[in-house]
Amino acid sequence: MFKFIFIKELRDIIQSSRFTISFAVCSVLIILAFVMGAQNYLSSKAQYDAAIQENRNQIAAHTEWMMVEHSITLPPQPLMTLVTGVSNDIGRNIAMSGRGELRAENTRFNDEPIFAVFRFMDLEFIFGIVLSLFAKIFAYDAINGEKNRGTLKLCFANPLSRANFIAGKLVGSFVGLSVALLIPILIGCALLPVLGVQLTTDEWLKLSLILIAGILYFGVFLAITIAISASTVKPSNAFLIGLVVWIFAVLIIPRTSVLISGRIVDVPNIDEITAQKNRYRTQLFDEDRPKMSNFQLPEGTEIENAMTAFQSFMSDLASARQEKIDVFNARLNEEYSNKKRAQEQLALSLSRISPTSVFTLVTTQLAGTSLNLQHNFMDEAYTYQNAYADFMQEKTGSNRSSGFRMIMITTGGDEEEPEPLDPDELPQFIFSGQSFSEAAQAGMIDLSLLILFNLIFFGGAFRAFLNYDLR
Amino acid sequence: MQNSTIQAAPLLEAVELTKVYEDGVKALNNLNLVVREGEIYAMLGGNGAGKTTTINAFLDFIQPTSGKALINGIDANALPLEAKKHVAFVSENVQLYPNFTAMQNLDFFVRLGGKSHYERLDYERALHRVGLQSEAFDRKLKDFSKGMRQKCGIAIAILKDAPAILLDEPTSGLDPKAGKEFTRLVAELRDEGKAILMSTHDIFRAKEIADYVGILNNGELVAEKTKAELEGVNLEELYVEYMAGYMDEAPVSGSLSNNLS
Ligand SMILES: Nc1ncnc2c1ncn2[C@@H]1O[C@H](COP(=O)(O)OP(=O)(O)OP(=O)(O)O)[C@@H](O)[C@H]1O
Ligand SMILES: [Mg+2]
């Protein structure tokens, strides 16, 4: 009996004009998402290559390591092709210094605002918005439509159990629609290498998990829709209720959770922090001011050495100040980033009551374009900072930040023609990102949540139908 | 054959069937009726009299408040899956699956009814029998007229080949010719030995083919006549009298009221 209903459901889907039209639209959108995503990635990649080259040229144009303004750049994640995530929103360049704070700058949207306009056309959007709507359009009258047509009565005039009917219906529509969706998606995947996006094995594995998450997400909305259909009599009501649910799940909950957590966890904004840092710097300077005005040359200093003595006095003061500032800033930064992460975590947890948020979280985690991308980039940049500082120490004898370089230049007195710098001498910044197993682990909670949502709503649809009035 | 001294076993039987809906409406009150092999039982009655409720009780679409609906002796509400093997159903205004062709609809419903040995030829034969033109066999149902859909509905019932058939206003909305053809088919099925319980508003057709006519009013069976008893009687007048009389709580002129079951 299950089999008959299952097959009937498949056939009903495939033969309906509703399916033909929405399948065509979805296929076009999906393929388009792949093509546009690939272009987005390739142009990011080109920018990245250009930035790296520019940095090398800049280094090679110098003869003194002291003069170099080295910066590191975040390479684009190949899977941003399908799941853009935050990759266009976060700063990609960090101007390196031997010590102190680092700041990522130059988001993609800064350079090319057009991407801010078209950001929504990635596969994650297509799944998140379009496919959930597709599920709604498809299944809003799955049960009550059959009731209104009288086919429900006709079916149940036969020795057919409700359980078999609803199970066949749920499984049939899920399998039918997701296989249909997988066709353009797999075509898109096969197109990736042709479009110029080369993926490693790890990335292919991540991609398949992303697709699984997509199908699970689709299943959630399908089940919700069928559950609504099995709890209402009029399809038009079911459609309206479904639309309201959809608006909340897809549009409202993910946004409000950010606002709510913003209220709950009070994070000072970055300008306040900068102001605080500046205040502290000024305060320290003011404290040093009396010392400076009371500066006395040590007894018996030659007049020609007076300048040097003063400079070294000032420089000692400055470095003592800088040390305090560094400690202070480090504390502020840590506090800030802890609060920020707590806020993010809260926002994400709150938003998880919506399957759409869960889906976004799991896909961005898998694609390596979640908020963690920014954190990882900063973390790896700070690690790199040590190697960079050591290198600079070795090359220049100073690991200070650039404010002090003038001193060294004036003392340099070589006659021979200086050699241009070799950029390859610098330690390389290699952004390692996440391996498949790391990404899978990070996404596991949300993937399980999607499965849980499926169980809940498929179960709900099942239960609703067991009590449905067949007449 | 219904006159044979040893009566055939009842295939459809309502035993003190009572249904009170959640909102307190008493849709059926102590209904008793029997339909045997080779009989047509026509239920007459105004809108809301309880005809559909009766049929729904046989199909386990509603749970009776008390009493039983038996199909081939099986309690339809206690053992619905078993009971429904023995009954076919044609609803008022059959719609079927609009995206399926006539053939596909037949195939699905007939298999659901437990008959999986049929081949296309059998389906064609059934569709021919109900008078659907061959060119329509492979067309989608959404383009079918009401009459054509109804023909598919009865073809499904024929192919299910169950001993009992339930028809809920099967001819409502059909044009006179289609209604006549439909009635002829029902009579044929009766002659093949089916037990048929149908609800209808068509008094003339009921008199023409029914072996028993039951008149329902407010959920009660107020009259039950055999074909012989209706011979020479104007059923329409009778019907109106019963309806009016019952409502006035003062039933009917003398001789006829004796025949109340
Ligand atoms: N779900 C329900 N809840 C409450 N009352 C109902 C429900 N379904 C039917 N009724 C009531 O039960 C009574 C019998 O209805 P039923 O549909 O059996 O009548 P019917 O004889 O088939 O009428 P018609 O000729 O209009 O089809 C009516 O009064 C109707 O309002
Ligand atoms: Mg009715």
Side-chain angles (χ1 to χ4, degrees):
Chain A
M1 284 296 158
F2 169 83
K3 197 183 87 187
F4 296 144
I5 303 291
F6 175 79
I7 293 172
K8 176 225 102 184
E9 199 58 34
L10 286 186
R11 177 178 276 171
D12 200 11
I13 289 171
I14 294 167
Q15 291 186 178
S16 69
S17 41
R18 204 193 297 184
F19 174 77
T20 317
I21 295 167
S22 36
F23 177 68
V25 171
C26 285
S27 302
V28 169
L29 284 178
I30 287 171
I31 300 286
L32 204 64
F34 272 90
V35 173
M36 288 181 61
Q39 272 175 5
N40 184 16
Y41 168 68
L42 290 180
S43 81
S44 281
K45 183 108 174 46
Q47 277 190 341
Y48 169 75
D49 292 341
I52 294 291
Q53 195 51 50
E54 174 57 27
N55 190 48
R56 288 176 66 90
N57 293 346
Q58 187 262 126
I59 293 172
H62 288 296
T63 54
E64 285 291 341
W65 283 107
M66 253 309 161
M67 296 299 292
V68 163
E69 283 174 18
H70 178 42
S71 74
I72 57 171
T73 307
L74 177 67
Q77 306 297 300
L79 286 177
M80 75 179 269
T81 308
L82 305 178
V83 187
T84 318
V86 298
S87 47
N88 287 334
D89 307 68
I90 61 174
R92 294 159 304 151
N93 290 319
I94 295 179
M96 251 312 138
S97 59
R99 63 192 292 179
E101 2 167 355
L102 301 176
R103 181 89 73 96
E105 272 160 348
N106 282 332
T107 69
R108 184 104 190 283
F109 288 153
N110 274 344
D111 304 352
E112 292 174 277
I114 183 91
F115 281 103
V117 180
F118 287 111
R119 68 198 308 180
F120 53 78
M121 265 305 285
D122 64 354
L123 192 70
E124 190 235 322
F125 169 84
I126 302 281
F127 265 96
I129 309 281
V130 180
L131 293 197
S132 54
L133 262 184
F134 180 68
K136 288 264 158 242
I137 291 170
F138 241 90
Y140 74 95
D141 62 347
I143 303 294
N144 52 23
E146 289 226 25
K147 176 179 173 136
N148 285 2
R149 278 203 306 265
T151 43
L152 206 53
K153 269 180 113 172
L154 227 45
C155 284
F156 280 97
N158 292 300
L160 166 68
S161 73
R162 286 172 182 241
N164 268 331
F165 181 84
I166 186 68
K169 188 113 193 155
L170 287 169
V171 179
S173 47
F174 180 61
V175 169
L177 294 175
S178 40
V179 166
L181 289 176
L182 275 175
I183 294 171
I185 291 174
L186 293 180
I187 292 177
C189 288
L191 277 179
L192 281 181
V194 183
L195 292 169
V197 181
Q198 305 296 338
L199 300 183
T200 63
T201 316
D202 258 22
E203 281 155 357
W204 280 115
L205 288 174
K206 290 181 198 170
L207 177 56
S208 32
L209 270 193
I210 290 175
L211 296 186
I212 290 173
I215 297 298
L216 284 173
Y217 172 73
F218 179 73
V220 175
F221 273 93
L222 191 67
I224 292 178
T225 311
I226 295 180
I228 294 172
S229 185
S231 318
T232 48
V233 175
K234 283 167 78 183
S236 55
N237 287 347
F239 193 80
L240 274 182
I241 296 172
L243 201 63
V244 172
V245 170
W246 183 86
I247 289 172
F248 268 88
V250 176
L251 302 178
I252 297 191
I253 295 173
R255 278 152 217 236
T256 42
S257 65
V258 175
L259 295 180
I260 291 171
S261 63
R263 286 280 156 86
I264 296 175
V265 183
D266 187 29
V267 181
N269 66 40
I270 196 81
D271 296 324
E272 282 173 41
I273 297 220
T274 315
Q276 234 174 314
K277 289 175 183 170
N278 290 342
R279 264 202 307 280
Y280 188 63
R281 182 183 293 276
T282 333
Q283 180 198 328
L284 286 183
F285 195 80
D286 288 347
E287 285 169 11
D288 279 353
R289 210 185 287 277
K291 292 186 202 159
M292 293 179 208
S293 48
N294 295 338
F295 174 71
Q296 304 264 306
L297 279 175
E299 285 299 315
T301 311
E302 306 276 331
I303 198 66
E304 54 268 31
N305 292 335
M307 198 55 202
T308 326
F310 179 68
Q311 270 183 348
S312 95
F313 167 78
M314 287 300 275
S315 135
D316 285 348
L317 269 186
S319 63
R321 269 203 314 274
Q322 188 62 41
E323 232 149 70
K324 286 188 190 164
I325 288 172
D326 284 348
V327 171
F328 181 79
N329 285 1
R331 209 193 69 227
L332 269 190
N333 286 344
E334 185 162 335
E335 261 177 37
Y336 173 74
S337 80
N338 284 347
K339 277 192 175 168
K340 195 82 197 149
R341 284 186 199 200
Q343 187 188 44
E344 283 167 12
Q345 282 312 316
L346 184 67
L348 298 184
S349 309
L350 283 179
S351 72
R352 279 190 171 97
I353 52 169
S354 150
T356 310
S357 309
V358 175
F359 175 67
T360 305
L361 291 177
V362 70
T363 48
T364 51
Q365 268 155 2
L366 286 167
T369 53
S370 67
L371 280 174
N372 284 334
L373 178 62
Q374 190 175 21
H375 301 151
N376 292 345
F377 183 39
M378 291 314 292
D379 291 349
E380 293 195 22
Y382 277 113
T383 312
Y384 176 76
Q385 191 177 33
N386 294 330
Y388 178 72
D390 291 347
F391 174 79
M392 281 313 213
Q393 174 88 55
E394 182 196 316
K395 287 289 175 194
T396 66
S398 158
N399 64 357
R400 302 273 158 84
S401 45
S402 48
F404 298 92
R405 72 165 76 109
M406 295 309 289
I407 307 160
M408 297 302 293
I409 300 304
T410 50
T411 54
D414 274 358
E415 256 86 89
E416 55 186 279
E417 184 71 4
E419 291 271 309
L421 299 175
D422 176 8
D424 286 333
E425 276 188 60
L426 257 179
Q428 279 233 312
F429 174 72
I430 296 167
F431 182 72
S432 50
Q434 282 180 311
S435 70
F436 169 67
S437 57
E438 283 168 339
Q441 250 166 16
M444 208 31 83
I445 293 177
D446 290 310
L447 214 51
S448 318
L449 262 179
L450 277 182
I451 293 173
L452 184 71
F453 275 130
N454 269 287
L455 292 178
I456 290 173
F457 290 116
F458 273 99
F462 195 88
R463 262 204 66 92
F465 187 70
L466 293 188
N467 302 317
Y468 196 62
D469 188 352
L470 299 175
R471 290 168 300 152
Chain B
M1 57 191 115
Q2 60 266 46
N3 298 330
S4 57
T5 41
I6 306 158
Q7 282 198 312
L11 283 172
L12 293 168
E13 190 176 8
V15 185
E16 298 180 354
L17 198 59
T18 301
K19 176 65 189 179
V20 183
Y21 282 108
E22 296 73 19
D23 55 3
V25 176
K26 199 164 201 177
L28 285 180
N29 189 7
N30 235 350
L31 179 79
N32 288 290
L33 62 80
V34 171
V35 192
R36 294 168 205 277
E37 190 182 316
E39 288 178 1
I40 294 175
Y41 191 116
M43 281 189 286
L44 296 177
N47 296 124
K51 304 182 295 294
T52 301
T53 304
T54 307
I55 288 176
N56 283 344
F58 277 105
L59 291 170
D60 189 39
F61 293 156
I62 58 154
Q63 194 69 34
T65 312
S66 66
K68 281 179 182 170
L70 304 173
I71 301 173
N72 208 5
I74 303 161
D75 186 334
N77 302 107
L79 292 168
L81 296 189
E82 193 49 40
K84 286 179 194 177
K85 285 179 189 163
H86 307 285
V87 70
F89 168 62
V90 180
S91 62
E92 174 187 2
N93 193 10
V94 175
Q95 296 221 10
L96 305 177
Y97 289 104
N99 295 319
F100 286 9
T101 65
M103 280 290 173
Q104 289 170 336
N105 266 300
L106 243 61
D107 189 54
F108 169 67
F109 281 106
V110 167
R111 281 172 192 277
L112 210 54
K115 296 279 191 294
S116 45
H117 61 275
Y118 288 126
E119 287 167 14
R120 187 179 164 94
L121 207 66
D122 301 300
Y123 296 148
E124 283 179 358
R125 202 172 294 136
L127 286 174
H128 274 306
R129 181 174 172 193
V130 299
L132 194 74
Q133 312 93 304
S134 328
E135 57 91 22
F137 290 2
D138 291 303
R139 262 171 48 199
K140 286 191 180 178
L141 257 282
K142 58 181 163 202
D143 307 326
F144 276 29
S145 71
K146 187 167 186 173
M148 290 161 85
R149 293 200 304 264
Q150 209 71 4
K151 284 173 181 168
C152 292
I154 190 84
I156 290 168
I158 290 172
L159 285 165
K160 186 172 180 183
D161 198 24
I165 300 176
L166 298 168
L167 305 170
D168 194 1
E169 297 184 32
T171 53
S172 82
L174 294 188
D175 69 41
K177 180 165 166 285
K180 196 173 165 59
E181 275 173 29
F182 196 92
T183 315
R184 176 187 54 79
L185 264 170
V186 173
E188 263 179 44
L189 288 171
R190 181 255 323 267
D191 296 341
E192 288 167 18
K194 309 290 185 200
I196 297 166
L197 174 63
M198 62 187 277
S199 80
T200 182
H201 289 296
D202 190 335
I203 294 170
F204 302 102
R205 211 150 265 146
K207 184 174 174 189
E208 190 184 323
I209 61 162
D211 301 292
Y212 289 88
V213 173
I215 300 176
L216 273 148
N217 193 5
N218 285 327
E220 290 191 37
L221 192 64
V222 292
E224 191 178 76
K225 306 282 175 198
T226 63
K227 197 175 186 80
E229 288 168 324
L230 290 174
E231 211 69 58
V233 176
N234 184 336
L235 182 55
E236 186 176 26
E237 260 173 36
L238 183 74
Y239 173 78
V240 173
E241 267 178 48
Y242 269 112
M243 300 305 287
Y246 206 78
M247 277 178 233
D248 296 339
E249 302 280 317
V252 209
S253 50
S255 65
L256 285 169
S257 58
N258 300 335
N259 293 323
L260 265 167
S261 63

